Amino acid sequence: MQFMLLFSRQGKLRLQKWYVPLSDKEKKKITRELVQTVLARKPKMCSFLEWRDLKVVYKRYASLYFCCAIEDQDNELITLEIIHRYVELLDKYFGSVCELDIIFNFEKAYFILDEFLLGGEAQETSKKNVLKAIEQADLLQENIDFQMRLFAGSRDTAQRTGGNWTDINMVHIIIHLPPTSFICQLLYVADNNSNSPLSTLNFTVTHTHTQLCLCFLPLFRDKQCSTVWLISC
Amino acid sequence: MEAVNLLSSNKYTEKQIGYLFISVLVNSNSDLISLINNGIKNDLASRNPTFMNLALHCIANVGSREMAEAFASQIPSILVAGDTMDSVKQSAALCLLRLNRTSPDLVPMGEWTARVVHLLNDQHLGVVTAAASLITTLAQKSPEDFKTSISLAVARLSRIVTSASIDLQDYTYYFVAAPWLSVKLLRLLQCYPPPEDAALRSRLTECLETILNKAQEPPKSKKVQHSNAKNAVLFEAIALIIHHDSEPTLLVRACNQLGQFLQHRETNLRYLALESMCTLASSEFSHEAVKTHIDTVINALKTERDVSVRQRAVDLLYAMCDRSNAKQIVAEMLSYLENADYSIREEMVLKVAILAEKYAVDYTWYVDTILNLIRIAGDYVSEEVWYRVIQIVINQDDVQGYAAKTVFEALQAPACHENLVKVGGYILGEFGNLIAGDSRSSPLVQFNLLHSKFHLCSVPTRALLLSAYIKFINLFPEVKATIQDVLRSDSQLRNADVELQQRAIEYLRLSCIASTDILATVLEEMPPFPERESSILAKLKKKKGPGNLPDIDDTRWNVNGSAEHSEDTESTNKSPPSLMADLLPTNRPRPASSSPTLLSAGTMGSSHPFTDLLNLNSTPSAGASLLVDVLSDISTPAPITVSEDNFSRFVCKNNGVIYEDQLLQIGLKAEYRQNLGRIYVFYGNKTSTQFLSFSSSVTSSDTLKTQLNVHAKAVDPTVDGGAQLQQVVNIECLSDFTDAPVLDIQFRYGGTLQKIAVKLPVMLNKFFQPTEMTSQDFFQRWKQLGVPQQEVQTIFKAQHPMDTDVTNAKILGFGVALLIGVDPNPANFVGAGVIHTKNTQVGCLLRLEPNTQAQMYRLTLRTSRESVSQRLCDLLSDQF
């Protein structure tokens, strides 16, 4: 398998996994082209199509399209079942998975995919074994973990608001779906009742990607703040 | 940087986030890579399976060269170590696979390879699944090293297919036992030929039979996943059966199974069945079985709602086509083409054109088919397709009249496609005379019909039509005036397009100045094209990529008739200045020829002769336009300088430019019959001023006078600026000779006297008459001329690239008959001819043996006269 893409009916890319080295530009081009092609197809059509010199196998689950590109000698039907098994895994892990689960917990989706497929080949086809590995990993998650998931451009304030923290020196914030260029400003609010900002912090974005960016904020113990708002993106 | 710090954290979550970001965000040339590698290295050595897995996943996801360099040697040892956890083994196997794909040179082979193969025996099916992928990839690269995997794979496969579906517990997927592993094992076996060991082979056959049998069993579940998984294994098994191509019963069973799928209600299965049958059609054992499904496939073409399925149906029809069903298939494809999807039309047109040509029983059918093709899908008919139909019509005498009649009728449709106008213009221009007898298609009617389309066409088509018109002038003198009127009109002579304008002017002048003889020579019918691979097929191959066209057997190309070599092949391999000369031969041992003339004058230069003849777009290049010079319409600043070897360039040809300077260009056109010859010498005044007291005469040495009678006719004493003068020189050969006569020219230009002396290319070989003979005759005579004095042999180094076609053309141009199939070594060239002089006739045999490795030739000549042998040998050995 050369790559796997998950995208919504609206053409928004939700997850991408590349098993061949390609430049970002190429990846974007391929994604755009393929999303258009697949979305244009009618429901009764067959799940396989020839695309460039690859074979594309896709299947739609609710609002999500799962789309794999395989090479000429690869088996189409078994690829279709790879997609299905992956969906089963997600379903089992999240408990009737929906698109939002994948948006909110995309890293879990990646971890499950890594346990199931590696280097484009099936690694472990037993559902039980894959989930066992993921659960083991989850057990190791420390409670002090503070990950903030903020959604850029979201209208829902809840999605732009982080949680409480008090005694952490360093925090990494994952911002989902960042726009291509943006200036981020964080607002510390001392007290939930008064919406007056305690202080603002402009921060730098260290790594960006089409789907997420990772920010590291130095925080000081004395700044007792309860909420973080992402105000501009 | 922070992400890298996270990697070295001991907290799992931080490590995990670190790895995630590195996998997703880091590109391979990041300068942090060494820090990252360090973190990964620590985790690999940690013996904590969770951390090791994270690290291995990261390597597999990034898969960069730097990572391969750092870890390629470490991972194999993790993979085969006895105490490695199963899950780590799985990751390690696939991680290694990924590194092997990106940088195979960095993954060392070693003693671990043997132990990897034994992972196929592992207890844990997950490990086997992962290892099977790795082994397949490695086995594709070095099959010998992994040969032992065959027996292990067969054993494992046999255990899976015979197991009860619950045995494998969680590896059973919707009642199918380990479908992924089965598919991978079947893939692995496709790296090898059928096993030699009989027991192993029968065990494998048993497995394949079981898989085929299972397809017939009632499904254990109604879920699509069950049938998909089951059929995935089935299709992979069929792929293996096709790959082995050795068990006729299995192949036929596979074909029948696929036949059932052709009518299955699952679109996916119909698609795959069509695809898989395509490969089955190329096996001799199952080709007939595939053919029985023709009606179903044609039905699929008509009724399938999904274009990609219809595309597969087209592919299959193409693959199953042979002589017996070609007419049906081509007819069906044509009728489908009328409403086919735009995306596949062009490919379909190519396929129809190829099938029609390949399986043409009679050429009238072929011509009909292609004309239909143009009518139905004119926009998708690429140039190659209509070039090809012209190529074939020209090479097949018997179809020319029919083709002319058919295109004439097709052109009468009120709206016809431009491509049809092109084909029509070309064919009527060549063969319009064949139907001119009928009053309904008299010359004038033909011309008016073509000209009625003229204004609707694009520039290249108009250019082609102009060429057709000038050919009409030659074919039908009665319409000359009409055509000249058309050419003379302002819309032609002052056309904004330079190509059209030039053609109109040249053709008009040509038709006014040239005598009917010259016109007839210049505008003669096209010579047959050399046989070569169809340009259409080449195009389809390019489109599909190599290896994607089953069932194309090049030796079956039988359309081009006899393999005559046209000198077009030769001319394209030479430098431009000599091109025109080559197009005007007169004493070749085959129907004298040449017609693209002006049309090609501007366009010969690239390497594809056929396309060039029709390539109307390029502007004329200066050096090639001899005719332009001859006609003196445009004075081209020709870049040619007189080269010392101009004389020897005329050994194998009769026409061309013998001399050129800033003032004067001298062109030659010669004809020889038996011991007589006539040379037309053209003096072109390249300046705008008159040449005064122009005179030219031929002088010969005293010896030569006794051997050769040369008589030059007197010429006008003035040559106007830009004009051109013709002189006729008559030659009679009395006996064999070595010297050559000299042409002395003098004239006054701007008050100064100019003197020029040019050696006339009259050589002994010009008086050759070719002699065809059989191999037996040839060697009999060869032996008769065995006296040492009669033979002259020379060995010399090749001065030009050693190209068979060029050499053939040169030997023909030398004047002898080229005897094909006479010499036991097909690489050698053998020729025979008779030299005619007034006193005697001298038989001559020649043999040229190329040695491509050394870039040397050996030339042997045997004639009854020593002096003749020597002279001919000297002349010819310069040519290669």
Side-chain angles (χ1 to χ4, degrees):
Chain A
M1 189 187 297
Q2 298 223 336
F3 56 85
M4 185 190 233
L5 302 175
L6 257 70
F7 50 88
S8 69
R9 215 147 47 113
Q10 289 75 35
K12 281 251 188 308
L13 192 62
R14 293 301 183 213
L15 187 139
Q16 51 179 337
K17 193 81 185 176
W18 301 84
Y19 298 111
V20 282
L22 289 169
S23 71
D24 281 350
K25 211 173 142 198
E26 280 172 296
K27 287 181 186 172
K28 273 193 189 125
K29 187 159 168 271
I30 290 173
T31 309
R32 202 171 47 234
E33 236 176 80
L34 210 52
V35 167
Q36 271 175 5
T37 319
V38 171
L39 286 179
R41 289 176 65 87
K42 298 192 183 73
K44 280 276 175 181
M45 287 182 162
C46 79
S47 311
F48 318 123
L49 55 122
E50 274 188 346
W51 182 78
R52 298 194 186 172
D53 52 348
L54 297 175
K55 299 195 284 198
V56 169
V57 178
Y58 73 92
K59 185 152 184 181
R60 184 179 153 187
Y61 288 88
S63 60
L64 268 189
Y65 282 90
F66 290 70
C67 174
C68 299
I70 55 175
E71 278 147 73
D72 195 41
Q73 329 82 321
D74 290 340
N75 190 313
E76 290 102 334
L77 281 175
I78 208 72
T79 312
L80 207 53
E81 293 319 298
I82 281 183
I83 294 177
H84 187 75
R85 175 56 32 124
Y86 182 48
V87 174
E88 283 184 349
L89 288 168
L90 292 174
D91 207 49
K92 189 95 180 175
Y93 181 78
F94 290 112
S96 98
V97 67
C98 69
E99 191 181 342
L100 281 182
D101 288 324
I102 295 171
I103 299 171
F104 283 91
N105 300 291
F106 72 94
E107 79 279 13
K108 293 290 179 215
Y110 276 114
F111 292 143
I112 296 173
L113 189 58
D114 275 349
E115 288 294 338
F116 175 46
L117 287 181
L118 195 61
E121 302 286 342
Q123 173 180 216
E124 176 55 84
T125 60
S126 154
K127 198 152 71 173
K128 224 194 300 175
N129 290 354
V130 174
L131 291 175
K132 208 164 67 191
I134 297 289
E135 275 155 23
Q136 272 175 355
D138 280 352
L139 283 180
L140 289 171
Q141 295 224 350
E142 295 84 356
N143 287 330
I144 55 154
D145 165 36
F146 192 89
Q147 280 179 53
M148 275 175 46
R149 301 160 188 285
L150 298 177
F151 287 79
S154 170
R155 288 182 190 191
D156 181 357
T157 47
Q159 289 184 20
R160 293 198 294 160
T161 316
N164 279 320
W165 77 82
T166 45
D167 56 349
I168 300 166
N169 288 326
M170 177 78 89
V171 65
H172 49 268
I173 300 179
I174 304 166
I175 298 179
H176 292 250
L177 314 171
T180 40
S181 67
F182 61 106
I183 312 152
C184 274
Q185 222 177 16
L186 275 195
L187 216 65
Y188 298 80
V189 182
D191 170 2
N192 273 340
N193 300 326
S194 75
N195 258 352
S196 62
L198 186 68
S199 68
T200 58
L201 174 70
N202 292 322
F203 64 92
T204 49
V205 175
T206 47
H207 296 283
T208 57
H209 186 253
T210 45
Q211 232 193 329
L212 59 142
C213 78
L214 182 56
C215 312
F216 297 91
L217 303 181
L219 295 174
F220 303 99
R221 275 171 198 279
D222 55 333
K223 281 193 178 153
Q224 291 281 322
C225 53
S226 55
T227 311
V228 172
W229 292 71
L230 187 63
I231 50 170
S232 66
C233 275
Chain B
M1 191 65 215
E2 285 81 357
V4 178
N5 288 338
L6 289 178
L7 268 196
S8 30
S9 159
N10 284 324
K11 293 177 186 155
Y12 174 75
T13 312
E14 296 193 355
K15 207 185 255 310
Q16 195 191 29
I17 290 293
Y19 272 120
L20 177 67
F21 277 87
I22 285 164
S23 307
V24 179
L25 300 175
V26 170
N27 44 9
S28 54
N29 52 11
S30 163
D31 43 353
L32 295 173
I33 207 83
S34 61
L35 286 169
I36 295 171
N37 283 353
N38 206 24
I40 294 175
K41 199 159 246 164
N42 290 336
D43 281 339
L44 280 184
S46 70
R47 310 192 67 77
N48 175 334
T50 317
F51 288 0
M52 285 171 89
N53 269 343
L54 276 180
L56 287 168
H57 290 178
C58 178
I59 299 171
N61 284 331
V62 177
S64 66
R65 233 191 128 67
E66 288 77 12
M67 290 219 165
E69 272 166 13
F71 304 110
S73 51
Q74 198 179 348
I75 296 171
S77 52
I78 296 177
L79 179 58
V80 296
D83 57 347
T84 311
M85 296 266 296
D86 286 336
S87 65
V88 178
K89 271 189 195 164
Q90 287 166 274
S91 302
L94 292 174
C95 186
L96 197 56
L97 166 67
R98 172 71 200 264
L99 295 185
N100 190 295
R101 279 193 187 146
T102 39
S103 0
D105 51 312
L106 293 177
V107 179
M109 291 299 184
E111 51 96 35
W112 62 273
T113 49
R115 297 168 67 182
V116 163
V117 174
H118 285 279
L119 288 178
L120 287 177
N121 262 341
D122 202 284
Q123 295 281 314
H124 191 276
L125 274 189
V127 175
V128 186
T129 308
S133 292
L134 174 65
I135 294 167
T136 305
T137 308
L138 295 174
Q140 277 163 352
K141 289 194 173 116
S142 45
E144 275 306 308
D145 295 343
F146 294 89
K147 240 180 165 165
T148 45
S149 65
I150 305 176
S151 58
L152 293 175
V154 172
R156 184 52 99 166
L157 186 67
S158 159
R159 262 181 284 160
I160 295 172
V161 293
T162 52
S163 68
S165 53
I166 38 160
D167 285 0
L168 303 169
Q169 292 158 358
D170 212 30
Y171 289 92
T172 301
Y173 179 83
Y174 290 90
F175 305 103
V176 181
W180 285 280
L181 182 53
S182 309
V183 167
K184 284 183 180 191
L185 292 171
L186 288 163
R187 268 294 295 283
L188 171 59
L189 291 171
Q190 283 172 61
C191 302
Y192 294 96
E196 283 150 21
D197 176 51
L200 194 59
R201 192 169 169 155
S202 70
R203 198 166 177 199
L204 177 58
T205 310
E206 237 167 70
C207 284
L208 295 171
E209 274 169 353
T210 315
I211 295 173
L212 284 170
N213 290 339
K214 277 190 179 168
Q216 296 297 334
E217 288 170 11
K220 290 185 179 125
S221 155
K222 280 189 182 144
K223 285 253 167 82
V224 66
Q225 282 77 26
H226 171 68
S227 83
N228 276 354
K230 195 164 103 177
N231 293 327
V233 179
L234 177 65
F235 275 106
E236 206 60 52
I238 291 176
L240 180 63
I241 293 170
I242 296 171
H243 171 80
H244 284 170
D245 199 10
S246 62
E247 299 272 354
T249 44
L250 284 179
L251 280 163
V252 172
R253 279 193 71 184
C255 184
N256 294 338
Q257 183 61 54
L258 293 177
Q260 286 181 17
F261 284 153
L262 284 182
Q263 283 159 320
H264 203 277
R265 60 186 169 76
E266 273 283 320
T267 318
N268 288 345
L269 282 181
R270 294 199 300 273
Y271 177 96
L272 292 175
L274 288 167
E275 189 186 39
S276 194
M277 263 202 184
C278 253
T279 39
L280 264 182
S282 57
S283 162
E284 52 171 326
F285 299 117
S286 51
H287 186 77
E288 288 303 317
V290 171
K291 272 168 63 186
T292 59
H293 299 289
I294 182 166
D295 293 327
T296 321
V297 181
I298 288 173
N299 195 38
L301 191 61
K302 288 177 180 159
T303 55
E304 278 296 344
R305 275 186 293 177
D306 185 349
V307 54
S308 40
V309 183
R310 291 196 296 267
Q311 162 96 57
R312 290 284 83 80
V314 171
D315 288 350
L316 178 54
L317 283 179
Y318 179 75
M320 68 159 74
C321 191
D322 63 16
R323 211 166 284 281
S324 68
N325 55 16
K327 278 201 176 171
Q328 187 190 2
I329 288 180
V330 168
E332 291 294 347
M333 281 169 97
L334 270 179
S335 75
Y336 170 60
L337 198 52
E338 300 205 35
N339 37 29
D341 308 78
Y342 298 111
S343 53
I344 62 173
R345 279 196 183 180
E346 191 186 350
E347 198 183 316
M348 275 197 75
V349 166
L350 288 176
K351 285 186 165 152
V352 172
I354 290 172
L355 291 179
E357 178 183 339
K358 190 169 161 189
Y359 300 117
V361 190
D362 59 311
Y363 289 104
T364 55
W365 175 73
Y366 171 74
V367 170
D368 282 342
T369 305
I370 301 293
L371 289 182
N372 257 332
L373 197 61
I374 294 175
R375 185 177 56 78
I376 294 169
D379 284 341
Y380 300 91
V381 173
S382 55
E383 297 197 316
E384 286 84 352
V385 173
W386 71 265
Y387 288 175
R388 187 71 183 160
V389 66
I390 286 172
Q391 204 174 359
I392 285 167
V393 168
I394 284 172
N395 286 10
Q396 299 297 325
D397 298 344
D398 46 343
V399 77
Q400 289 162 354
Y402 180 80
K405 185 163 158 283
T406 321
V407 286
F408 178 76
E409 279 160 10
L411 280 173
Q412 279 171 327
C416 48
H417 194 269
E418 191 164 337
N419 278 336
L420 183 65
V421 179
K422 288 182 188 166
V423 175
Y426 204 103
I427 288 184
L428 290 181
E430 293 289 334
F431 309 114
N433 55 333
L434 298 176
I435 56 165
D438 191 326
S439 62
R440 283 166 300 172
S441 53
S442 69
L444 195 61
V445 176
Q446 284 186 35
F447 171 73
N448 285 338
L449 182 61
L450 279 183
H451 199 56
S452 68
K453 315 284 181 197
F454 187 88
H455 301 283
L456 306 169
C457 293
S458 63
V459 168
T461 312
R462 290 185 188 195
L464 187 145
L465 283 178
L466 287 179
S467 301
Y469 295 169
I470 185 74
K471 290 209 149 196
F472 270 10
I473 292 184
N474 175 43
L475 290 178
F476 316 120
E478 62 265 39
V479 295
K480 184 171 177 176
T482 321
I483 294 176
Q484 281 179 335
D485 281 346
V486 169
L487 292 176
R488 203 173 283 130
S489 72
D490 274 359
S491 61
Q492 308 298 353
L493 281 191
R494 302 201 178 157
N495 196 300
D497 186 88
V498 68
E499 173 74 25
L500 289 182
Q501 192 188 41
Q502 183 172 0
R503 278 179 195 239
I505 293 171
E506 285 173 3
Y507 291 163
L508 183 60
R509 293 285 289 161
L510 179 68
S511 69
C512 296
I513 296 175
S515 69
T516 40
D517 279 354
I518 291 183
L519 217 53
T521 319
V522 168
L523 301 171
E524 192 140 15
E525 202 174 282
M526 284 289 284
F529 290 92
E531 190 167 350
R532 63 168 78 91
E533 187 187 17
S534 160
S535 48
I536 316 176
L537 194 63
K539 174 151 177 164
L540 188 63
K541 274 184 184 159
K542 202 164 81 188
K543 219 175 148 69
K544 298 287 280 182
N548 251 341
L549 278 180
D551 198 26
I552 293 299
D553 180 356
D554 282 335
T555 57
R556 281 200 266 172
W557 289 93
N558 55 354
V559 175
N560 267 313
S562 65
E564 261 190 296
H565 287 278
S566 135
E567 53 275 74
D568 294 338
T569 327
E570 172 195 30
S571 46
T572 42
N573 291 319
K574 288 188 171 175
S575 57
S578 63
L579 290 179
M580 277 310 296
D582 274 351
L583 286 168
L584 298 162
T586 44
N587 69 339
R588 298 292 163 85
R590 22 174 246 96
S593 61
S594 99
S595 106
T597 57
L598 292 179
L599 178 126
S600 54
T603 53
M604 315 272 304
S606 72
S607 59
H608 200 302
F610 183 51
T611 318
D612 288 342
L613 294 181
L614 292 152
N615 177 3
L616 309 163
N617 289 321
S618 52
T619 45
S621 69
S625 311
L626 172 65
L627 254 181
V628 175
D629 289 336
V630 169
L631 294 166
S632 307
D633 280 333
I634 297 166
S635 169
T636 12
I640 317 162
T641 52
V642 184
S643 54
E644 291 300 317
D645 60 2
N646 257 8
F647 179 80
S648 71
R649 276 171 41 192
F650 282 79
V651 170
C652 293
K653 59 180 191 169
N654 284 325
N655 311 293
V657 175
I658 182 81
Y659 176 84
E660 178 150 9
D661 62 15
Q662 296 90 332
L663 306 176
L664 181 70
Q665 186 192 51
I666 305 176
L668 294 183
K669 184 168 176 302
E671 300 171 349
Y672 295 89
R673 268 187 204 93
Q674 309 239 324
N675 67 326
L676 300 176
R678 172 177 292 172
I679 302 179
Y680 297 92
V681 188
F682 299 92
Y683 303 96
N685 181 348
K686 293 170 63 177
T687 67
S688 50
T689 339
Q690 258 189 349
F691 292 161
L692 294 169
S693 5
F694 187 91
S695 74
S696 76
S697 57
V698 180
T699 51
S700 305
S701 64
D702 288 344
T703 1
L704 191 60
K705 272 178 189 156
T706 64
Q707 297 162 332
L708 206 64
N709 267 339
V710 184
H711 175 72
K713 294 208 169 141
V715 287
D716 274 352
T718 53
V719 187
D720 285 341
Q724 186 226 38
L725 185 74
Q726 180 187 328
Q727 183 180 34
V728 179
V729 180
N730 288 320
I731 300 155
E732 184 186 20
C733 177
L734 304 172
S735 66
D736 69 275
F737 61 98
T738 33
D739 220 349
V742 175
L743 190 63
D744 288 317
I745 301 135
Q746 36 178 315
F747 59 91
R748 281 189 180 280
Y749 170 72
T752 49
L753 187 66
Q754 308 282 335
K755 277 191 182 176
I756 297 162
V758 179
K759 217 176 187 184
L760 265 187
V762 180
M763 304 87 161
L764 187 54
N765 66 296
K766 298 293 177 197
F767 302 95
F768 253 128
Q769 288 289 110
T771 320
E772 294 287 347
M773 56 177 77
T774 63
S775 181
Q776 203 185 352
D777 286 348
F778 180 86
F779 284 106
Q780 195 184 348
R781 286 173 205 219
W782 185 262
K783 282 191 197 108
Q784 282 167 4
L785 296 170
V787 185
Q789 294 90 325
Q790 293 173 331
E791 180 185 284
V792 175
Q793 190 172 73
T794 171
I795 296 171
F796 56 93
K797 192 138 185 90
Q799 293 160 7
H800 306 285
M802 296 174 92
D803 181 311
T804 312
D805 287 343
V806 176
T807 310
N808 277 337
K810 280 184 177 167
I811 290 176
L812 280 175
F814 193 62
V816 294
L818 184 65
L819 304 177
I820 291 164
V822 165
D823 199 298
N825 178 355
N828 291 348
F829 303 90
V830 167
V834 176
I835 290 194
H836 290 257
T837 69
K838 195 182 177 195
N839 305 331
T840 53
Q841 296 193 352
V842 184
C844 165
L845 304 174
L846 76 84
R847 189 180 195 187
L848 179 72
E849 296 154 283
N851 179 343
T852 35
Q853 275 183 334
Q855 291 286 307
M856 302 281 279
Y857 286 101
R858 181 166 69 183
L859 175 67
T860 315
L861 272 141
R862 288 189 179 184
T863 73
S864 44
R865 265 167 186 262
E866 191 186 350
S867 56
V868 173
S869 300
Q870 187 59 54
R871 177 60 184 156
L872 291 177
C873 184
D874 291 346
L875 284 170
L876 192 58
S877 57
D878 275 358
Q879 298 299 313
F880 297 103

